[in-house]
Amino acid sequence: LKLRRYFHETREMNRRRAEMQITEQMSPMLQGEFALFSHQKWIEKVWYLRNMPHDIIVFMSRNLKMAAYSPNEEVFSDRTLFIVRRGICALAGRILVSGHTWGEDMLLSNEHLRSKNHARSLSYSFVLMLHVEDMADIVAEFPEARARLKWAQVQIAIVRGVRKIAEVTKELQKSGSMSEEAMTDEDRLSFFEDVLRGRFSPDASGGSPFAVDGGPSDFGPRR
């Protein structure tokens, strides 16, 4: 019965596969226009992708992947943007329905600033996904789009960094392991760097303290 229900609920996925087979026979321009028609409204749910150049939206639309999840199934993929197309998911106490997004912090290569929460499907859910490497490839030849994503990286990193420092400071003061009054400016800077390196995290592994970009998410000029 459960398997029958799953196949019934995944009819939309089957329709999408059929659409993809048809669009493969179209010209590149028509493929892009069809992808834009199908997915533009979903992409614009992501705050830093709104009002992107037309070509960028077309390429992102063509690179979106759809996945189906059954009730109580974990929804997670590292450094991936998720958009709920249909169904209900839960994430860190939030209920996510059609049009809701998560994973926007995929832009950050500093793993200590990215959320480690995994979503869970509460119904038969269909989500659209875009990996950071696909996004980096898409904007590689578009300086304006790279600049906008770079600015989004900075905004997310600042918010997450300040929050992380505040959380660690509160915990250390609560345990009596830290006295902020006794710290010099140099001590504070060193402490901030240690927090952003993940020294106070269970999975501390070092690395650059201010690595908000780099690696596959590098939105700087390509050489």
Side-chain angles (χ1 to χ4, degrees), residues 185-197:
D185 289 343
E186 186 176 344
D187 291 336
R188 286 192 179 88
L189 180 58
S190 179
F191 169 68
F192 294 161
E193 291 180 352
D194 286 341
V195 171
L196 298 179
R197 283 194 179 102

Side-chain angles (χ1 to χ4, degrees), residues 156-170:
I156 297 172
I158 290 173
V159 172
R160 294 292 177 84
V162 170
R163 183 185 304 161
K164 186 78 172 176
I165 290 170
E167 289 173 353
V168 172
T169 300
K170 183 178 180 180

Side-chain angles (χ1 to χ4, degrees), residues 87-98:
I88 306 172
C89 296
L91 175 68
R94 296 168 52 213
I95 299 299
L96 307 172
V97 296
S98 180

